[in-house]
Amino acid sequence: MDALEKGCGPEYELACARLHELLVRIAMGEVFRRGSRHQIAGPELDDLAHQAAADALMRITQKIHGFRGDAKFTTWAYRFVVFEVSSKMGRHIWRISHARFDMEEWAQVPDRGGADPVDYWQARELVEAVHDAVATALSARQREVFVAVINGVPLETLARQLKTNRNALYKTMFDARKKLRARLVAGGHLGTAG
């Protein structure tokens, strides 16, 4: 850790390389654990892990002077890479495009598990509207918090990572939900509360 605090030189480079190896292993474990749930596999999963590890390394080197030693350094570093994996997987999910069918094509889709194809299509359209609203209606900060919370990042971890507190996160989520609801109501996807 001392070598990381120096910020330059061969010791720093070696410490960064060793830390990066550790972060890649942690990120790989996290993306493999979460990947199947998000239908991500193969090289894409590997790429997400390496991106998360690289971004976590950058954050760690920027914030190394803030490490107080309350926990082991590896535990402290672990939360950075887990947060980056959550963030990257959340962003990746929003980018996945979904094929759209017209009503005739939906009528030809077999009924599986008792779900009506039209109901399924409407639900899918709602999901796409939510994805679009998250991408366009929310501020960058609201989007970051919303995606992290949806991906299960604990509020305490998120608050520390973003240098804020739980109350500020609750307010951000409240405002984000309000904007999303307004966008979905305006788009005809939700009814107005009466």
Side-chain angles (χ1 to χ4, degrees), residues 98-158:
H98 300 285
R100 294 182 185 215
F101 299 123
D102 62 23
M103 291 303 284
E104 267 185 43
E105 290 173 316
W106 271 111
Q108 296 173 12
V109 175
D111 183 8
R112 294 190 181 150
D116 178 22
V118 173
D119 290 342
Y120 176 79
W121 175 75
Q122 289 171 339
R124 191 165 181 156
E125 188 177 79
L126 176 60
V127 168
E128 289 179 4
V130 170
H131 287 182
D132 180 61
V134 168
T136 59
L138 301 182
S139 69
R141 177 67 162 211
Q142 289 171 330
R143 190 170 32 259
E144 181 179 21
V145 170
F146 184 83
V147 169
V149 169
I150 295 300
N151 282 308
V153 175
L155 284 181
E156 287 301 323
T157 302
L158 188 57

Side-chain angles (χ1 to χ4, degrees), residues 22-31 33-34 48-49 52-53 55-57 59-60 74-90 148 151-154 157-158 161:
L22 172 68
L23 296 174
V24 167
R25 284 196 306 271
I26 294 168
M28 289 295 240
E30 279 295 303
V31 297
R33 185 177 67 80
R34 299 173 186 211
L48 278 173
D55 289 351
L57 179 63
R59 283 185 183 250
I60 290 167
T74 53
T75 304
W76 183 74
Y78 183 92
R79 77 182 175 111
F80 283 92
V81 75
V82 169
F83 179 80
E84 288 296 332
V85 166
S86 293
S87 178
K88 298 226 176 303
M89 292 196 92
N151 282 308
V153 175
T157 302
L158 188 57
Q161 183 70 31

Side-chain angles (χ1 to χ4, degrees), residues 36-50:
S36 61
R37 182 174 37 164
H38 298 295
Q39 299 176 343
I40 305 169
E44 201 169 16
L45 201 62
D46 189 55
D47 187 47
L48 278 173
H50 280 85

